[in-house]
Amino acid sequence: MSVVRTKVLGLVDVIMRVPSLFIIDEILKISMGLPNSAPATTSVNTAAPAVSTTAAVETAESVVNATLNATLNAATAAAADFLAGAPGTIGGADVEDTFRDDFEFYKLVSLTTLKFLLCLFGCISAACVFMLWTRHLVIVYMYIVSVGLIFLSYWSNVSALSVISDGPSLLEDILSLNMERLLDPGGVALSILPHLLAQWLMRVIFAYIHLGPKYKLIQKALPFSFLMPLFLAMLPLPTVVLKHSPAFAAILPLVLSKIALWSSSFDVVKTILNGYQHARNFASNFGISALIENEWQRLNVPCVLRAFWTIRLSEQLISLLANSDVPLRFAATVQSLLVSGCETLTAVLGMTSIISLICHYIGKAFQLFLLSEDYDEDKSIGTVSAILFYILALQTGLTSLSPDKRFIRLCRNLCLLITALLHFLHNIVAPILMSLSAARNPSRKRHARALMVCAFLLLTPVGLLSVLWTRHSPSTWLLAVTAFSVEVIVKVLVSLATYTLFLLDARRQTFWEKLDDYVYYIRAFGNSVEFCFGIFLFFNGAWILIFESGGAIRALMMCIHAYFNIWCEARAGWGVFMKRRTAVHKISSLPEATPLQLRSFDDVCAICYQEMTSAKITRCKHYFHGVCLRKWLYVQDRCPLCHEIIMNQDGKNGDCNGEQPNEDENEQNVNHMANSNSAPASLGSANSTQNAQTDTSSSATTSTSSASSNAISVNNSSSSSTSSNSNHSRNHVLSVSGFRIPNPSSVTASSSSSSAVSSPVPSSASGAASTETAAVTAAAISEIIRQHQLQQQPQQQPRSSVDRDFLDELE
């Protein structure tokens, strides 16, 4: 019951805010009282829409033009006569006509200014009423309804007196019991009875809702005030008395309303000041955007706009049905309703709210079809579509066009909105495709649904372009729609290609080193096409701005497009390219591990935990995949294991100047790598879920987070190997996959120990003994870890050979 009550009260609150929008809409229809040459609303007749103009606006404009021309002509003639030495022609009728024209001109300007000020005051008052709290809004409507009842009672009394004055005296019929005339359907008695009931009902309502002083005497006098004219009409009184009786009867209610308005005037000013102070404090504490969002939700603006637009179109449809003599044609009626539904800014806002609701449910339907539950309301398709449609309406000057041109422009804007909707749907399905390609147990149903949506996104723009190019000649608008549609097709193809590569990689049993390059090339192609279309759309908009239809809003939108979609994208793309180029240059300068070194190493890459068929040797004698190390270099230039600088300042290898290590150092390198990489290999089972995740955000953020997680695991493993060889104090330990790894507080000791091991070993007996002991210990640890991995191998699922967290740097 409480839920129903809440919904009913919410509906009442929405309905109470709609009249304010109607007032603003009517004021905008008359162009704020200013002369306007734009055509007025259209009205659909039997067969085709007919154009009807506002007579007052045209008359005012013609008078202004005629007055201006007459004034200029008279002033020119007077100046010419004066210079010609004929002062006699200046006086007399010519001067009188000139002054009369000037007087009419200034009179017209004064009236136009007064009308504009009144319209401006009306708009501001309606906006203030619209933004009131609900309790204040109820008080305003109580006062308006009470005043309206007074005027309605006056008009009802006047119409009833006109009926009584034409017939015989009602009092005589009652006293003589003339039942024939009293019960006559067309008689005075039955004609006045509805007025008596209406006056009694209005008296009851007024006595209940009026805001004046409610004394007992006044409440008892209110029925007599409303019914007094009808009672007096029954008596044989003079006509003059009966004629003015409705005005005298309205004095008491008007006085009560006047007292209520005067007593509430201070409260009105106080409410306005309190509202301003509240908004100022809220904005200073939380920001203007939070204030706008809070007021938007409090006022329930989308629902109010939808109710306003629906009532407005219903009123227009009823008017068309009432004024039409023959049945209306469906196409002509829809065209007329759409044209009248976007003739003012408030009407465009109402249409925008309806389009937002439609797009919202379209996006929700695709979300349900894709079996996706992470639907973000703040970034829903409906909100973005509404903003886009309203910007298009302002940019194209939709409200200032003639009815036929307005309908054409509205259809073109809807075509652009459809292409934008396809882009939004691709943004929904692209992350789902990437997550499905990296899933361990993929559902064929979800794969099929995602591929069906991709097929829809490919076929819809092709069908739209084929229809538009066959029915329309080439134009700037058609080129813009074509650019958006082709861009959707390219983006879908890029997503499908990336999805296919990831599926192929998931089915491989070996490491696919070239996958990163292939994905980079595909996404670079898609981003390049999108960037080129952005430049094309900028020049297309510039052509429209210069040669077709200019405007401040279009110029502003072009500047925004040039900054965000061209400059920022170019800068980001160039930054990614330079990072990749620098990383490739650094990796190419590192020595390549030989097959003998890889067999002796016999371990996995410490970054991706995959077997190594090829590897790069860093300056600190650590082995990594070249692709993994290149992605790591996008983030930082230090080794993932020991945090030593990988490259020198000149970009060359530090130990051997880029040369391969000799055979005497192979055993030392293998021993050192076994000690440092055994623990990270054991962490592969704990961190295997990180390798199958795919994020579609920016590359820098994803790479940083992945690098941080890998660095933490590496630090733990390095400190484990170091603390096992030295007698440090006991710290809190972390158990991962059955192994005990110390707290990362000993990272410094690990780094120093690793650097000590990587240094050349002296040829003394003690150095040989320590080297032999380290080799035996490393071999034993490697054997234990290998056996542990073999035991757990049946329970592990095959995973991709590329760390997905690094792939998003290709964006």
Side-chain angles (χ1 to χ4, degrees), residues 111-403:
L111 291 176
T112 304
T113 305
L114 181 61
K115 288 168 59 179
F116 173 76
L117 293 177
L118 290 176
C119 292
L120 182 62
F121 177 75
C123 283
I124 295 175
S125 302
C128 291
V129 172
F130 176 81
M131 298 182 66
L132 286 175
W133 292 88
T134 305
R135 60 180 182 274
H136 297 147
L137 197 61
V138 170
I139 295 174
V140 171
Y141 275 102
M142 288 175 63
Y143 181 81
I144 293 175
V145 171
S146 61
V147 174
L149 288 175
I150 296 173
F151 287 97
L152 186 60
S153 173
Y154 174 80
W155 292 329
S156 176
N157 286 326
V158 170
S159 59
L161 290 177
S162 63
V163 173
I164 295 176
S165 60
D166 297 336
S169 176
L170 188 59
L171 182 61
E172 294 178 0
D173 294 338
I174 294 175
L175 293 177
S176 61
L177 298 178
N178 191 350
M179 304 301 298
E180 182 179 358
R181 285 197 298 184
L182 289 175
L183 299 177
D184 185 11
V188 177
L190 294 180
S191 299
I192 202 175
L193 184 61
H195 294 278
L196 287 171
L197 296 176
Q199 292 292 336
W200 178 82
L201 181 62
M202 286 187 286
R203 189 271 307 173
V204 172
I205 297 175
F206 184 86
Y208 181 75
I209 67 171
H210 80 88
L211 302 176
K214 295 184 178 181
Y215 300 113
K216 292 184 178 180
L217 181 60
I218 295 177
Q219 295 292 99
K220 292 181 180 179
L222 282 176
F224 178 76
S225 175
F226 278 84
L227 298 172
M228 181 185 66
L230 297 180
F231 290 151
L232 292 178
M234 299 179 185
L235 302 177
L237 297 175
T239 307
V240 178
V241 176
L242 297 177
K243 182 179 179 181
H244 294 89
S245 61
F248 284 102
I251 291 178
L252 179 60
L254 284 176
V255 169
L256 293 177
S257 300
K258 183 68 175 179
I259 294 174
L261 179 62
W262 178 256
S263 61
S264 302
S265 58
F266 299 100
D267 295 334
V268 170
V269 176
K270 185 178 179 180
T271 301
I272 295 175
L273 293 178
N274 290 338
Y276 171 75
Q277 191 67 26
H278 169 74
R280 184 177 178 180
N281 294 334
F282 196 96
S284 61
N285 293 330
F286 303 101
I288 298 179
S289 60
L291 173 64
I292 295 175
E293 183 179 0
N294 181 61
E295 293 299 313
W296 186 274
Q297 295 177 357
R298 179 181 69 85
L299 299 175
N300 203 359
V301 176
C303 293
V304 176
L305 290 174
R306 289 167 197 151
F308 160 73
W309 198 75
T310 304
I311 296 173
R312 193 177 189 276
L313 251 67
S314 301
E315 178 188 359
Q316 182 72 15
L317 180 60
I318 293 173
S319 176
L320 292 177
L321 293 174
N323 297 331
S324 178
D325 298 332
V326 296
L328 299 174
R329 293 194 306 177
F330 178 76
T333 305
V334 171
Q335 178 178 347
S336 175
L337 292 177
L338 290 177
V339 168
S340 62
C342 58
E343 61 180 345
T344 60
L345 292 178
T346 50
V348 172
L349 280 174
M351 181 179 288
T352 301
S353 63
I354 297 295
I355 291 176
S356 171
L357 185 65
I358 295 173
C359 294
H360 168 75
Y361 281 110
I362 290 176
K364 201 168 185 180
F366 274 91
Q367 289 277 345
L368 294 176
F369 181 77
L370 293 170
L371 302 178
S372 177
E373 299 178 355
D374 52 344
Y375 189 70
D376 193 356
E377 182 67 25
D378 295 334
K379 299 179 181 178
S380 65
I381 295 179
T383 304
V384 183
S385 301
I387 296 173
L388 178 61
F389 178 78
Y390 196 73
I391 290 176
L392 285 175
L394 295 179
Q395 182 174 316
T396 55
L398 191 64
T399 58
S400 61
L401 298 175
S402 59

Side-chain angles (χ1 to χ4, degrees), residues 537-547 558:
L537 290 174
F538 176 78
F539 285 108
N540 187 64
W543 179 274
I544 297 175
L545 179 65
I546 297 173
F547 299 103
M558 284 187 58

Side-chain angles (χ1 to χ4, degrees), residues 387-435:
I387 296 173
L388 178 61
F389 178 78
Y390 196 73
I391 290 176
L392 285 175
L394 295 179
Q395 182 174 316
T396 55
L398 191 64
T399 58
S400 61
L401 298 175
S402 59
D404 51 348
K405 293 182 179 180
R406 188 187 306 158
F407 181 74
I408 295 174
R409 177 56 63 184
L410 179 63
C411 294
R412 292 182 176 182
N413 290 351
L414 291 177
C415 287
L416 290 172
L417 184 63
I418 290 174
T419 57
L421 187 62
L422 296 178
H423 281 268
F424 301 150
L425 295 178
H426 171 262
N427 293 336
I428 293 177
V429 74
I432 297 177
L433 277 177
M434 295 302 101
S435 63

Side-chain angles (χ1 to χ4, degrees), residues 489-565:
I489 296 174
V490 171
K491 290 171 70 174
V492 173
L493 292 177
V494 167
S495 299
L496 289 176
T498 309
Y499 164 78
T500 305
L501 289 177
F502 286 162
L503 283 182
L504 293 177
D505 177 67
R507 293 180 178 272
R508 290 173 60 94
Q509 299 299 328
T510 59
F511 181 73
W512 193 2
E513 191 171 354
K514 292 294 183 180
L515 176 63
D516 177 64
D517 295 330
Y518 295 154
V519 173
Y520 176 78
Y521 296 146
I522 291 174
R523 292 185 175 177
F525 169 74
N527 293 335
S528 300
V529 171
E530 187 175 355
F531 181 74
C532 293
F533 276 119
I535 296 177
F536 171 76
L537 290 174
F538 176 78
F539 285 108
N540 187 64
W543 179 274
I544 297 175
L545 179 65
I546 297 173
F547 299 103
E548 293 185 6
S549 61
I553 298 178
R554 184 181 293 275
L556 178 61
M557 295 307 301
M558 284 187 58
C559 294
I560 295 175
H561 170 74
Y563 178 74
F564 288 101
N565 295 337

Side-chain angles (χ1 to χ4, degrees), residues 6-39:
T6 302
K7 291 184 178 181
V8 171
L9 292 179
L11 179 62
V12 171
D13 182 73
V14 167
I15 296 300
M16 285 193 301
R17 300 186 188 278
V18 170
S20 301
L21 295 181
F22 272 102
I23 294 174
I24 297 175
D25 186 68
E26 291 297 328
I27 293 175
L28 292 178
K29 279 184 180 180
I30 61 176
S31 302
M32 299 291 290
L34 297 175
N36 188 10
S37 59

